[in-house]
Amino acid sequence: MATEKVVIIGSGPAGLTACIYAARASLQPLCFEGYNAGGLIPGGQLMFTTEVENYPGFPQNVMGPELMKSMRDQAERFGTRFIRDDVTAVDLSKRPFTVRSPDETVQTHTVIIATGARANWLNLENEQRLAKSGGGVSACAVCDGALPLYRNQDLVVIGGGDSAVEEGSYLTKFARKVYLVHRRDELRASKAMQDRFFRLAKEGKMEGLWHNVVVDVLGDQAITGVRLKNVKTGAERDFPCKGLFLAIGHTPNTELFRGVLEMDDKSYLKTRPGGTHTSLDGVFAAGDVADHVYRQAVTAAGTGCMAALDAERWLAAQGIQ
Ligand code: NAP
């Protein structure tokens, strides 16, 4: 079996940018783009968004799936080979490394991990339906918050962490008012974020609905409200809103690498500061799988570029042409 120079796992902005750079460097990358059976989604999280307004170079906006198709076409044009499959096992204990999917086993000198992260959802039927149809339910305020359907409306954000407050405060730029639904009456968010919340609450732009959870999402074509349950009293009530944003954390797709690569306490891959090197020589990580802070398409693309350059330099240092 021929040994690949670079295998890229994942085909979101990080994976595809790594493909473009590796392909242009004549490394003939092989990309496992995922099949969406084991959590790896071809195209990544942008496949679930509608209009992307903050990816540079698109003054008239671009649809998430369209942007990903363009990146994939660009990667393919320079010679990236794609396998439409989830990776089910990796053996990084010896070089060359082995990467397996249900139908393929490949050996490779380097691996770029760009498996991303997935937003946590409540997994309510109506939540999923309206999120997929663009009906006013989203897990990314920065991606979707500025869309016209949310302007001057009452919006609900679920969560009590930094993301919930940050995304909620971002939404106050557009919304009539943002309601933070939290299952406790104490924010997990940092002191600075808590201060931000209480300042906005004082200004009447945000309000906390404490001890509440969302048990259903209301609306047919578009959201009209949420059903709240007070966890202290058990009482339920319908709360009208025109947008629902989940901010209850993300889960990095790192199950394949548990016990093999160093991770932080939230299971994100650790990379060496200023680069994309993981704890194993020849293995690089890019995008959300190693980033719980920025989580933007453009930052993922940036680190995908870095990973390809790091892999190229690592191969050259090993004398692998
Ligand atoms: P997080 O800190 O894990 O907070 C998740 C929040 O969602 C918690 O308040 C949690 O409630 C709530 N939650 C979780 N599951 C829930 C469920 N099923 N139903 C209802 N509520 C649920 O996640 P995060 O806010 O995304 O932050 C992740 C990391 O990124 C943190 O380290 C954070 O500091 C960092 N971050 C930093 C910034 C910044 O500094 N600018 C911005 C964003 C994120 P409980 O509190 O009751 O557990």
Side-chain angles (χ1 to χ4, degrees), residues 120-122 158-167 181-190 193 196 212-214 246-250 265-266 268 291-295:
N120 296 336
W121 295 87
L122 296 173
I158 310 177
D162 279 332
S163 294
V165 177
E166 186 168 59
E167 303 205 359
V181 171
H182 185 32
R183 58 189 178 185
R184 298 185 292 138
D185 65 352
E186 198 181 315
L187 292 172
R188 174 181 296 282
S190 59
M193 283 294 176
R196 190 190 293 187
N212 272 286
V213 290
V214 170
L246 286 100
I248 57 172
H250 283 74
D265 58 352
K266 298 230 168 79
Y268 286 84
D291 167 25
H292 69 257
V293 179
Y294 300 103
R295 299 195 310 244

Side-chain angles (χ1 to χ4, degrees), residues 16-27 29 301 304-306 308-309 312:
L16 291 178
T17 305
C19 289
I20 292 166
Y21 273 76
R24 293 198 72 240
S26 304
L27 297 176
C305 159
M306 288 162 64
L309 295 176
E312 185 188 354

Side-chain angles (χ1 to χ4, degrees), residues 212-227:
N212 272 286
V213 290
V214 170
V215 291
D216 201 0
V217 180
L218 313 171
D220 197 16
Q221 304 294 317
I223 184 171
T224 56
V226 289
R227 183 156 301 150

